[in-house]
Amino acid sequence: MACARVPLDEQQVTEPGPLGKERTLPALHPERKEERYFVPYKPPPADGSPAEVEEFLEHAKFITEDLEWLLALPHDKFWCQVVFDESLQRCLDSYLHHAPRGLDLTALPSSPAVADMQRSIHRVVFLTFLRMATHKESKEHFLTPAVFGEIIYDNFLFDIPKILDLCVLFGKGNSRLLHKMIENIFIQQPSYYSDLDETVPTVLQVMPDLTLPEVQLVKTLNDSNRCFKTPQTQKYDHELVDIILYLCDSTTTIHAFQDIFPAACSSFHSHDWPRFMRPPCPTSRKPLGRETLTIKRDLQEDLWKRLSHSCRKMVETAHLLLHHTCLQPILEGQENMQTFADELLQHFTSLLPEKRFLSDYDEQFPIADDISLLQQALPVIDETRTSYLLQGVESAWDSVGRRKPQSRTKSKASSLVPSSQEGAGGAGAVCPVSGAELESLLSCIRDLLPDLGEGFLLACLQEYGYNSELVINNILEDRLTPSLDKLDRAMPRPVKEELPSVLSNRSNVFDDDEFDVFRRDQVDMSRIWKGRRKGESTREMLNDKQHIAEQRARYKAYETVVDEVVIEPGETAATYGLDDYDDEYDDTYDMNQVGANDLDRDSFLNRRPFTVPQVLRKGNKAEDEESDNDEEEETLQNNAHRDQFVQDPAVLREKAEARRAHPSNVVGRPKGQGQATETLLDRRRKETNKSRVGNHNRRTMADRKRNKGMIPS
């Protein structure tokens, strides 16, 4: 038995020989292989007849059981069977060659038994390759890495074509496992990098040599079928089908390989990879006559679908190459960032002659975004060079007859169709579109898909922004949104409802007037004229007093004036339009002098001296009479002064001298001893005249606020 923790390639095993004697053999030896025949794989039947389905199920069951038996073998037995059993390799190779690819799955029969059996085979084949790519299963079961690399390389267990097929077949849903598997193969055996470098030039050389004859999609005279037309000989019809199938398979496989194993991008990048971006797409699409070679409609739709798929994969492959070889080092901040940026701009510039490809690339992965990223990472980017590149992108859109979408997404699911569809009615149009453009889009789609109703196509155009390319591609690849997938594909075009007349809904201030011709059948034309009214002079217009007569009756009502109306018994004033006198008028506040106490500048109350009521006076009657006499004398003096129109200036000067000579006694006696009358008068006079000097009318305004309750007393 093998010793623990020893590589399988160094182990020796002892087992009975042919004659019954024990013998010692290496753990990896041809005689240790089990005799078992692995049948080759056959794809599911295309027509799905019961006999062929039964044969396929029986054949597939053998393959599934044999591979499950292989996977259950111990580590040493498994590798003996894998290395030395040629039938196993033929079985695995046949599956890689003939297994349905992504676009082929729609052609499989709808039998649930066939689908389940195909999934079972798919699973066990993947597990077999996964175990074959693992050199260490556990601490006790492993191979020396160098020996493992020699085994898989020398016995052709893996090669570049097989790895490419593994990526396209098992990449969906298993990308991480597949990446680890392929990475381990290339690490343990670097010779695969050399094989890849030799394979890439061959692939890139074959692609541009795929020159299609001039291809035209036409209708037969009875309009019952569509066809591709090659105007030379019948062999070109079959050649067209073969080239499109090869193109679809190659582009899909290369994209899957680079997507799962990005390290391979450097191998493609080191060669003239832009040659790969020159697809042989049909370029003309005009009706021909009766002599066309007809391809069945289902095959024709399948070819269009594959051609569209190929164009999209080319764009995505180019993006992967540029991203992993130029953009990714810049994002990671590696050295020589300027070199990577210049290389990226150089690749974009080399694509400028490929107008159709460049517009498709810019639709999925806007070049302006990549240039903006470069400008942020490297501010020293040449503005002239980037401007020239962006102008070239805009020119590419114009040259292929397409309009650049206003809103674009970077989703890899964006659609691309060959530009042969562009000349058929403005493909790529975006909303809004005119009526003529909409009819052109519908005609373009119905030429390819005549079974679909116009109502369904209108809904698709509305969903995808009136982009006919996107509609065609999603219909052919059966990738419509759930809302569209639920619609009836034969749905007719909805009947356009006539809008009500604008005149019936109009609203205007002149509605129903004498000149409203929309609502009146008869209009007085004598009142309508153009320009100056004929036969009417200025004098006649002034002499026309018709407007006075019209106003006469209006003013006649004001002629009668009644001073007194006699109300008969039993009548009220309301009978004659009169108001009754209201004896309940509230005169409570009639005696209040509203605003009388406001201390304005010229207020009477502010200037009036304080007068003690006679009831409160302490003096006798003689003093009162004397005071009255003084007042009378003062009144006479004032009257005498009023009689003088101009007073004597000398008298005025004497009075002024006397006022100035009279001492002002505002200080008075100490507080608490009382003040003389003269002192009080002087203080009042000073207080009153304060507004004439420096303090202005501060006191007056303070009194006014106090009287209004604004300042507490």
Side-chain angles (χ1 to χ4, degrees):
M1 295 299 292
C3 298
R5 298 183 182 274
V6 177
L8 180 63
D9 52 277
E10 298 179 4
Q11 293 180 14
Q12 300 288 327
V13 294
T14 302
E15 60 182 21
L19 301 178
K21 295 182 179 180
E22 292 186 353
R23 58 178 180 175
T24 301
L25 297 174
L28 289 176
H29 194 275
E31 295 186 6
R32 299 195 67 212
K33 174 180 69 72
E34 298 289 340
E35 294 297 332
R36 195 179 188 98
Y37 180 75
F38 292 85
V39 297
Y41 170 81
K42 291 182 180 180
D47 54 358
S49 62
E52 292 183 346
V53 169
E54 184 178 358
E55 180 183 0
F56 168 78
L57 293 176
E58 183 179 4
H59 196 84
K61 184 178 180 181
F62 292 151
I63 298 176
T64 304
E65 291 177 350
D66 289 342
L67 292 180
E68 288 177 347
W69 169 84
L70 175 68
L71 292 172
L73 291 177
H75 184 250
D76 57 337
K77 287 286 188 179
F78 172 82
W79 278 103
C80 289
Q81 204 73 28
V82 166
V83 174
F84 304 114
D85 193 341
E86 295 182 357
S87 66
L88 172 61
Q89 297 304 319
R90 286 194 297 268
C91 174
L92 296 176
D93 290 348
S94 65
Y95 186 82
L96 296 181
H97 293 163
H98 303 294
R101 268 57 175 171
L103 294 178
D104 299 330
L105 295 178
T106 56
L108 295 178
S110 58
S111 171
V114 173
D116 291 341
M117 184 58 68
Q118 178 62 32
R119 283 193 293 268
S120 299
I121 298 179
H122 193 77
R123 174 180 172 275
V124 293
V125 169
F126 176 68
L127 293 177
T128 302
F129 277 109
L130 185 61
R131 189 175 184 184
M132 289 167 55
T134 305
H135 71 282
K136 184 177 182 180
E137 295 184 0
S138 65
K139 294 181 179 180
E140 292 79 19
H141 302 97
F142 62 95
L143 285 164
T144 304
V147 176
F148 169 76
E150 293 178 0
I151 291 175
I152 62 175
Y153 190 80
D154 295 339
N155 293 279
F156 297 95
L157 301 184
F158 291 99
D159 53 28
I160 298 300
K162 286 184 179 180
I163 294 174
L164 293 175
D165 289 334
L166 287 172
C167 291
V168 73
L169 284 174
F170 303 104
K172 187 176 181 180
N174 304 291
S175 57
R176 291 188 177 181
L177 278 177
L178 205 56
H179 171 76
K180 292 182 179 180
M181 168 181 162
I182 298 175
E183 185 179 34
N184 187 56
I185 292 173
F186 275 80
I187 290 176
Q188 307 306 331
Q189 182 51 269
S191 298
Y192 284 110
Y193 282 107
S194 301
D195 293 349
L196 181 61
D197 290 336
E198 295 177 2
T199 304
V200 171
T202 304
V203 176
L204 298 181
Q205 184 179 2
V206 171
M207 295 301 297
D209 294 338
L210 294 177
T211 303
L212 289 181
E214 183 181 9
V215 180
Q216 298 160 346
L217 178 67
V218 300
K219 285 192 286 187
T220 55
L221 294 181
N222 59 5
D223 199 24
S224 62
N225 209 342
R226 261 70 176 172
C227 67
F228 284 105
K229 172 65 176 74
T230 56
Q232 299 177 14
T233 60
Q234 185 173 1
K235 68 175 184 178
Y236 290 107
D237 211 39
H238 303 288
E239 180 184 351
L240 170 65
V241 176
D242 293 339
I243 290 177
I244 292 179
L245 293 177
Y246 177 82
L247 178 66
C248 179
D249 183 66
S250 299
T251 54
T252 304
T253 302
I254 293 174
H255 173 265
F257 177 51
Q258 294 181 355
D259 188 27
I260 292 172
F261 189 56
C265 293
S266 59
S267 298
F268 284 85
H269 184 261
S270 61
H271 297 82
D272 185 18
W273 66 268
R275 289 168 54 87
F276 181 68
M277 306 309 161
R278 299 183 179 95
C281 296
T283 56
S284 63
R285 188 171 175 272
K286 55 187 178 181
L288 294 181
R290 184 189 298 265
E291 69 278 4
T292 59
L293 297 176
T294 302
I295 299 176
K296 293 182 179 180
R297 186 170 57 193
D298 55 351
L299 179 57
Q300 170 254 316
E301 292 181 357
D302 181 70
L303 292 178
W304 275 115
K305 177 172 39 175
R306 292 177 182 274
L307 198 55
S308 168
H309 182 80
S310 302
C311 293
R312 185 174 66 255
K313 290 305 176 183
M314 286 182 181
V315 170
E316 294 177 359
T317 301
H319 177 70
L320 285 174
L321 287 171
L322 295 177
H323 177 77
H324 290 293
T325 59
C326 298
L327 284 175
Q328 192 67 29
I330 296 175
L331 295 176
E332 294 175 353
Q334 298 182 7
E335 297 181 358
N336 302 324
M337 293 175 58
Q338 185 66 43
T339 303
F340 291 114
D342 293 338
E343 191 174 359
L344 178 64
L345 294 177
Q346 180 61 35
H347 284 309
F348 281 145
T349 304
S350 66
L351 293 175
L352 289 179
E354 306 298 330
K355 305 292 185 180
R356 181 177 65 242
F357 175 81
L358 190 62
S359 61
D360 290 343
Y361 183 95
D362 187 62
E363 184 176 16
Q364 284 201 79
F365 311 102
I367 296 177
D369 293 348
D370 294 338
I371 293 179
S372 175
L373 185 145
L374 293 181
Q375 291 173 343
Q376 295 175 16
L378 299 169
V380 294
I381 291 295
D382 186 2
E383 293 293 338
T384 304
R385 189 177 183 183
T386 56
S387 299
Y388 171 76
L389 179 58
L390 292 177
Q391 291 176 2
V393 174
E394 297 295 333
S395 175
W397 281 94
D398 297 336
S399 63
V400 298
R402 299 168 62 187
R403 289 188 292 178
K404 194 173 183 178
Q406 297 298 324
S407 59
R408 299 172 299 182
T409 61
K410 296 184 180 180
S411 172
K412 290 186 178 181
S414 300
S415 95
L416 289 167
V417 293
S419 60
S420 58
Q421 300 177 18
E422 294 168 9
V430 293
C431 187
V433 296
S434 63
E437 290 175 329
L438 182 60
E439 295 299 329
S440 178
L441 293 176
L442 288 174
S443 176
C444 168
I445 300 175
R446 285 183 61 81
D447 285 344
L448 295 174
L449 307 169
D451 295 335
L452 301 180
E454 290 190 359
F456 175 74
L457 295 180
L458 283 175
C460 293
L461 286 171
Q462 184 178 5
E463 177 71 21
Y464 294 108
Y466 294 90
N467 189 327
S468 60
E469 295 179 354
L470 200 56
V471 172
I472 293 173
N473 195 72
N474 287 339
I475 292 176
L476 292 178
E477 295 191 0
D478 198 18
R479 293 193 294 109
L480 294 174
T481 60
S483 59
L484 293 177
D485 207 20
K486 296 177 182 179
L487 296 179
D488 181 12
R489 300 205 171 194
M491 181 173 61
R493 191 170 186 171
V495 180
K496 186 177 180 180
E497 298 181 0
E498 295 186 1
L499 297 177
S501 174
V502 178
L503 298 178
S504 62
N505 293 333
R506 76 185 187 102
S507 179
N508 195 283
V509 295
F510 301 107
D511 286 349
D512 298 322
D513 64 2
E514 56 180 325
F515 300 111
D516 190 354
V517 296
F518 299 108
R519 290 181 171 84
R520 290 176 178 268
D521 296 333
Q522 300 294 332
V523 178
D524 186 5
M525 299 301 296
S526 63
R527 301 195 58 190
I528 302 175
W529 62 85
K530 183 178 180 181
R532 186 173 180 177
R533 189 173 184 178
K534 297 180 180 180
E536 182 178 3
S537 63
T538 304
R539 183 176 299 277
E540 292 177 352
M541 182 181 65
L542 294 176
N543 292 334
D544 185 6
K545 307 300 181 182
Q546 182 180 359
H547 63 285
I548 297 177
E550 294 175 354
Q551 299 294 332
R552 188 181 302 278
R554 181 177 180 180
Y555 288 97
K556 193 172 183 180
Y558 298 98
E559 291 183 355
T560 304
V561 179
V562 180
D563 295 333
E564 183 178 352
V565 177
V566 179
I567 300 177
E568 299 295 335
E571 296 179 347
T572 61
T575 307
Y576 298 92
L578 303 177
D579 294 333
D580 293 337
Y581 171 71
D582 186 5
D583 197 30
E584 297 298 329
Y585 177 74
D586 187 0
D587 55 358
T588 304
Y589 302 99
D590 282 358
M591 298 303 295
N592 287 4
Q593 297 181 7
V594 180
N597 293 328
D598 293 348
L599 296 182
D600 299 331
R601 181 180 181 88
D602 298 329
S603 174
F604 172 76
L605 295 177
N606 191 38
R607 295 178 178 272
R608 181 179 179 184
F610 178 74
T611 304
V612 180
Q614 293 183 1
V615 180
L616 302 178
R617 292 179 183 177
K618 297 181 180 180
N620 51 22
K621 183 176 181 181
E623 293 177 354
D624 295 340
E625 291 178 357
E626 183 179 355
S627 176
D628 294 340
N629 294 333
D630 293 340
E631 291 178 0
E632 290 177 1
E633 291 178 359
E634 184 178 356
T635 302
L636 292 175
Q637 276 184 343
N638 292 338
N639 291 337
H641 292 165
R642 291 194 186 96
D643 292 341
Q644 298 177 5
F645 182 73
V646 178
Q647 293 187 15
D648 187 359
V651 176
L652 293 177
R653 285 194 295 271
E654 291 178 0
K655 291 182 178 181
E657 288 292 339
R659 286 195 301 270
R660 285 192 293 271
H662 186 273
S664 178
N665 185 16
V666 296
V667 178
R669 292 190 291 267
K671 188 175 182 181
Q673 298 181 9
Q675 303 294 338
T677 303
E678 293 180 356
T679 302
L680 296 176
L681 293 176
D682 289 341
R683 289 180 177 178
R684 182 180 299 174
R685 189 180 298 109
K686 178 182 178 180
E687 187 73 21
T688 303
N689 295 328
K690 273 185 178 181
S691 61
R692 299 180 183 177
V693 291
N695 273 334
H696 302 287
N697 58 348
R698 185 179 64 180
R699 176 60 60 183
T700 303
M701 298 305 295
D703 292 341
R704 184 176 180 181
K705 292 181 180 179
R706 184 178 293 107
N707 292 337
K708 288 187 175 182
M710 301 173 66
I711 301 177
S713 301

